[in-house]
Amino acid sequence: MTSKKNKTITIDENELGILSLIEEGLLGNCDHLMDENESKEILKTGKLKKENFPYPFIFTPKNAEKILANIKEKDKIELICNEKIVGHIEFKNKFKNDKNFSSIFSSRTCSLENNGKICISGKIKIYDSAIKTIKQQFQLVKEKLNAQKITALVVNLDPLHRAHERMLRWTIDKADLVVIFLVESFDENGFEFDLKEKYLQKLIQNYLPPDKIFIFPLKNIDLFHSHLNPALESIVAKNLGCTKLVVGQNHTGLGMFYDENQPKSILDEFSKDYDIEVIILPEFVFCNICHMIVSTRSCPHGFHHHLHYNSQSLKNLLRLGIIPPALFMRKEISSMILSSIFPKRFKNFQKIYNDLFATDGILEDKEDEEFYKKLLEAYQMSYIV
């Protein structure tokens, strides 16, 4: 359904997602688009009403100057996304777009030159909000478990490897409920969000306690995917109701340093102000002397004995069609990814499978995913004369 009214603006899925997060209070107690005074206060102090805001909620609709020219207070501006009415903004006021303003909608860019010339403030209303539905589902799970210690992780799992699993297990051991905020991939060659969600669910169902894990998908929202602002991740975790946030020491925007031989980060003061505990985990590696996954803090052996779980390199292998050793990734995950990237890859696939692997005397059609699993199992075997 589309609107016949003139007071409409078109938004993309990313803007819709951010508007939904604001409306649901997941980015702070401010649940509306800010006016000029509120925005200037945040840019000056980093806070509004004593609450931390890394970015002001400034919205500059693109190509909407004609609509905004004759608008009045309390007029409703309908929001159109993918040719459907998805919500509206109850207009409060407008002000000139100052390119010195950094906005929640342009947090990953250095310039606002591609945005509109006019900013608008007002109350947000999103119809059939996916974020609202997920938040309600989380509250039901929280109440069912009577969860008090709730720990969050913000991850892109591009791809999901053994170090991620180690971090998840460590987090689960110390929490009543773990929330995994799954975010979009930052790189252009990143994996599709639906695929990432699928293999995360597979890992949870097969190898982790599913009743203690809640996936909060942030699909089509680019706000978190570059991992440049861990404070923003702390804010969304805190406003959902989490008591802790776990991040790795290699987090892009963490800014780790040492003070009097103690590790510090930019989140130390923030966590005190915002009342959320931030735990920074060391890097996990595989030590070929310890023969297990260890942290770089606990392993006494040198760097030259460590195999690193480098997401970019593992992703490059998979994009080239090379299946990583099970030491780096579970065979179920890498098989799922390869079968998605290279569908129907093999000619005479069924014959290759039947010629190589045992079939218990029963000929069954196999999927590519099953073939990759069997191949990895064969790689792990050793022949003894």
Side-chain angles (χ1 to χ4, degrees), residues 109-174:
T109 61
C110 298
S111 171
L112 303 182
E113 60 185 7
N114 295 324
N115 285 356
K117 297 179 180 179
I118 301 174
C119 304
I120 63 173
S121 66
K123 196 172 182 179
I124 303 165
K125 178 62 181 177
I126 302 299
Y127 314 141
D128 300 322
S129 170
I131 296 295
K132 182 178 181 179
T133 300
I134 298 167
K135 184 181 174 183
Q136 290 172 339
Q137 292 170 347
F138 166 77
Q139 292 298 330
L140 291 174
V141 173
K142 178 183 176 182
E143 291 171 7
K144 181 180 178 181
L145 295 176
N146 190 27
Q148 304 299 315
K149 296 185 291 184
I150 305 174
T151 304
L153 301 98
V154 181
V155 292
N156 63 32
L157 302 183
D158 198 15
L160 196 167
H161 50 64
R162 296 277 189 173
H164 287 135
E165 184 178 339
R166 177 68 181 84
M167 184 166 64
L168 278 170
R169 291 184 184 278
W170 184 94
T171 306
I172 292 167
D173 283 342
K174 302 177 184 300

Side-chain angles (χ1 to χ4, degrees), residues 339-350:
S339 60
S340 175
I341 298 174
F342 302 99
K344 309 298 180 184
R345 183 182 187 183
F346 303 101
K347 293 181 180 179
N348 301 319
F349 164 74
Q350 195 63 49

Side-chain angles (χ1 to χ4, degrees), residues 210-338:
D211 57 323
K212 293 189 67 175
I213 301 173
F214 184 88
I215 301 175
F216 199 115
L218 294 170
K219 187 178 181 180
N220 297 319
I221 302 175
D222 296 342
L223 186 59
F224 304 95
H225 74 175
S226 60
H227 281 307
L228 290 177
N229 196 327
L232 198 60
E233 298 173 7
S234 301
I235 286 173
V236 73
K238 173 64 179 179
N239 284 303
L240 183 66
C242 301
T243 55
K244 294 182 183 179
L245 174 70
V246 170
V247 297
Q249 70 174 27
N250 293 330
H251 190 294
T252 309
L254 197 55
M256 287 285 294
F257 63 94
Y258 282 84
D259 182 15
E260 296 181 356
N261 207 32
Q262 293 298 313
K264 304 287 185 180
S265 81
I266 63 173
L267 288 179
D268 290 340
E269 291 301 319
F270 179 89
S271 61
K272 293 177 184 177
D273 292 342
Y274 218 72
D275 192 29
I276 183 171
E277 183 181 356
V278 179
I279 299 174
I280 301 173
L281 292 183
E283 180 184 3
F284 290 111
V285 295
F286 185 89
C287 176
N288 59 18
I289 294 182
C290 297
H291 296 293
M292 63 185 300
I293 296 177
V294 295
S295 78
T296 51
R297 288 184 196 168
S298 64
C299 180
H301 306 115
F303 179 85
H304 54 287
H305 290 293
H306 293 164
L307 282 70
H308 296 267
Y309 294 89
N310 185 282
S311 296
Q312 187 63 46
S313 296
L314 290 172
K315 182 166 53 179
N316 288 340
L317 284 178
L318 290 162
R319 286 291 186 191
L320 291 170
I322 301 172
I323 192 162
L327 176 73
F328 291 109
M329 296 176 62
R330 283 194 178 272
K331 61 180 184 291
E332 294 89 344
I333 307 301
S334 52
S335 299
M336 186 183 294
I337 293 172
L338 281 177

Side-chain angles (χ1 to χ4, degrees), residues 34 42 53-57 102-105 107-108 223 229 232:
M34 296 174 178
I42 291 172
F53 285 91
Y55 307 101
F57 300 163
S102 179
S103 168
I104 195 74
F105 294 92
S107 59
R108 296 174 296 106
L223 186 59
N229 196 327
L232 198 60

Side-chain angles (χ1 to χ4, degrees), residues 38 58 130 142 167 188 195 286-287 304 317 325-326 354 365 372:
E38 291 172 319
I58 301 173
K142 178 183 176 182
M167 184 166 64
E188 290 184 0
L195 174 61
F286 185 89
C287 176
H304 54 287
L317 284 178
N354 292 338
D365 290 336
Y372 290 120

Side-chain angles (χ1 to χ4, degrees), residues 78 199 245 347 366 382:
E78 289 187 331
Y199 57 63
L245 174 70
K347 293 181 180 179
K366 300 291 185 180
S382 59

